Structures are given as C-alpha cells and as structure tokens.
Amino acid sequence: MEKLEMHTKAHTEFRDITEEVQAAVGRSKVRSGTALIFVPHTTAGLTINENADPDVTGDIMATLERMVPWRQAHYRHNEGNSAAHIKASMMGFSAAVPIENGALVLGVWQALYFCEFDGPRTRQVWVQVSGA
Amino acid sequence: MEKLEMHTKAHTEFRDITEEVQAAVGRSKVRSGTALIFVPHTTAGLTINENADPDVTGDIMATLERMVPWRQAHYRHNEGNSAAHIKASMMGFSAAVPIENGALVLGVWQALYFCEFDGPRTRQVWVQVSGA
Amino acid sequence: MEKLEMHTKAHTEFRDITEEVQAAVGRSKVRSGTALIFVPHTTAGLTINENADPDVTGDIMATLERMVPWRQAHYRHNEGNSAAHIKASMMGFSAAVPIENGALVLGVWQALYFCEFDGPRTRQVWVQVSGA
C-alpha cells in the first residue's frame, strides 16, 4: 500500500488526484485487478466526478455548503467543523476502481477527487492495489 | 470485466439491475469472492435499496430533487445539469458485494439500483468479479 | 464471510463497530489484504467518522434529520420510513478498508459506524476478508 501525501490549499477544495493515483498503480506493477483509494481522515472525503469543466466541482462544493452550512445553531461539536465531518460522510472515504493493462479504468469524463472540507491541511491518500 | 449496456428511459430513474449483475457474476464462474459494480459516468450513480415497494425509490428520487433542485441560481456549469452531477456523487459510483456459491449475497430486501439523473441516455455498468 | 449480529437501541443511532470488525479480521488469519464491511439492510447504512467526540456523530444524525425529515408530505411509501431509506443510501452500505499485519488500517481519528435509521432492531454486519 502506498501512502501519498498532499497539501491542500483552501478551506474547501476538490483536488483531481487521478494522475497521482495512476502513477501509484503503475509502480505496483499490477496489470489486472482493483485499486482501493482510501482517505484516512474524517473531515475530507473522496468522490468521482467530471474534470472537463471546473464549474462542475465548484457547483458540487457550493451546493454541499447550502445543504450543510458551516454554521448551524444545532451543532454541538466543540471544534466547530461539524459541517466538514458531515460532507465527508456524504461523499464517502474510498473508491474502488478496476485496473486493466496496468492502468485505472475510468469512464471518459471521470476523475478521482480528493474532497477537502476543512483545509488547508497536510493530508494523505492511500492506494492499495490487488490483482496480478 | 464485463461491460453491460442499457438504455435509460426517463430523465430521473432508479433501475433495478440486480438480475443483470447476477447473470454477469454467473458467467464469470467465480464461486466465492467479490463483485465490484462500477458506473463509469458522472451524471448517473449506483445505490442499494428496497425493491419490494416502488414507492421507496420514488421517494428517494423526489427527496433528492428537493435537496438538490434541477434549477438553482448559483449553478455555473454551462451544461445545466449540475444537479445530476451532485446527486450522482451523493449516491456514489460503485458497490462491492460478496459472492458465495457463485451468486451475489445481498440482504433480503436489497436490490442494486442504477441511478439515472440526466437521461434518457445509453449507459454502461461494469462488473468486475474477483475470487476463485 | 462472518455475519455479526447486533441489537440497536434507539430509533437513530451511530454505533462504533470498529472493535467487532477488527476481531472478525483477526479470526480470519489474513495478514495483508482488504476487509469489505457490508450492511445487508435498506434502512441502515455504514460510514466512517470520528470517534473522539460523540458530538460529531450526534451532529451528523441531527443534520441528516434536518435534510431528510422523518415526515414530509411528498412521501408515498406506506411503511412511513422513507427517510430511513434515503439516509441509508446517502451514507452507503459498505466500506472497504485495507488490512496490514493482520489488522484494519484506519486513519488516527477514524472509526467504523453502523448507522441505524429505523431502530431499534436486530441487525447484521457482514465482514468479508480477502488477501493472504
């Protein structure tokens, strides 16, 4: 398993990590199998979405913020970042992606996004490759 | 890996694909292992839910539409289908399901649903089986 | 595959099942691989989040209830628990977690939560371990 490190730059940020994950898959030498991409945090998650128009991820971030505002009177968690925990659980913490011919197989418009909801921070993404 | 093709019929549609996935698992001849069901799109997703009463998936679709309306003033993506991208990320793009005795093992009330959020379109579902 | 049984105690409850899953991984004798944790229900789900401050999961439950109220005029499902079905699909029904040295590898603050949305009930969590 490889542990990739990254530095997010904004409080809320969808970062395309497809190339970094692809490189880790290449280093594994596995030709056919599955990649498990796992985010070991609780205020950041992982999703797949379109990378052609950056307005798509912008709209996802803005809409999540409307659904789960940063400040709400009912929050009790004393660190004040409950919204980040909730958004991360909504997006999820992992993706499993098929590998063929030594590379991730994604849909034409798909990219893997690390979803930072309480940055900027130093973060990790774990890539575990199984197969042969 | 098998690539199943389907034609969705409505703009928003939860389609029970359990039987089609089950058939693909059967063709793989794997008796014990895991099926990764993967949707290679960005405006359609995948979830598990009840198939006994069609009102369940109807209520899920209607409630997602209330949470993420098709038209909202803050959307910037120029294709106009940001809601579909957001709903797809909320449902997710894959499911991993155990296989025993050559068949998917799901809960009594569970079915696999392809979630179309910007149809009708020709779509794919990928089924990757691992095990022995 | 192990089928763990549990009895939830409240209508809505996030229950930390990390230790029970860890024990099942230990019994499997697999040293390096992946654990698939799967919830075979449609009104309960699974997520990962922080276990240090119980207010975090409290805030997640309360915010999901605001997003998806138990009573809404548009629900048609006659069992009256549509909200539970929707929340379960939002959290998801499974998690895949890496295994190293015979144990789950989670982030420092991460715990696995069984998400009861229509309890109390007798429930199951399935743990399927692959690897060597």
Side-chain angles (χ1 to χ4, degrees), chain B residues 76-107:
Chain B
R76 297 192 168 199
H77 178 44
N78 59 18
E79 288 183 50
N81 61 355
S82 290
H85 289 284
I86 298 160
K87 291 173 182 176
S89 273
M90 287 173 68
M91 293 295 98
F93 298 91
S94 66
V97 179
I99 296 170
E100 290 189 332
N101 301 316
L104 294 172
V105 192
L106 287 163

Side-chain angles (χ1 to χ4, degrees), chain A residues 19-130:
Chain A
E19 279 189 33
E20 288 155 276
V21 173
Q22 194 71 267
V25 169
R27 287 188 292 272
S28 76
K29 309 290 185 200
V30 167
R31 301 294 299 164
S32 178
T34 309
L36 172 62
I37 303 107
F38 187 88
V39 166
H41 304 289
T42 61
T43 55
L46 190 75
T47 195
I48 287 171
N49 224 296
E50 179 187 320
N51 69 346
D53 177 0
D55 283 340
V56 170
T57 49
D59 286 352
I60 298 173
M61 286 185 274
T63 305
L64 286 173
E65 177 61 26
R66 280 159 187 263
M67 297 169 76
V68 186
W70 190 257
R71 292 178 194 280
Q72 291 197 87
H74 72 275
Y75 294 149
R76 296 192 169 201
H77 178 44
N78 59 17
E79 286 185 50
N81 61 354
S82 290
H85 288 284
I86 298 160
K87 292 173 181 176
S89 273
M90 288 173 67
M91 292 296 99
F93 298 91
S94 67
V97 179
I99 296 169
E100 289 189 332
N101 302 314
L104 293 171
V105 193
L106 287 164
V108 176
W109 304 103
Q110 286 185 324
L112 288 162
Y113 282 97
F114 180 87
C115 309
E116 174 63 84
F117 293 119
D118 192 24
R121 295 200 198 195
T122 299
R123 298 288 203 177
Q124 289 193 352
V125 174
W126 298 348
V127 182
Q128 187 193 43
V129 178
S130 57

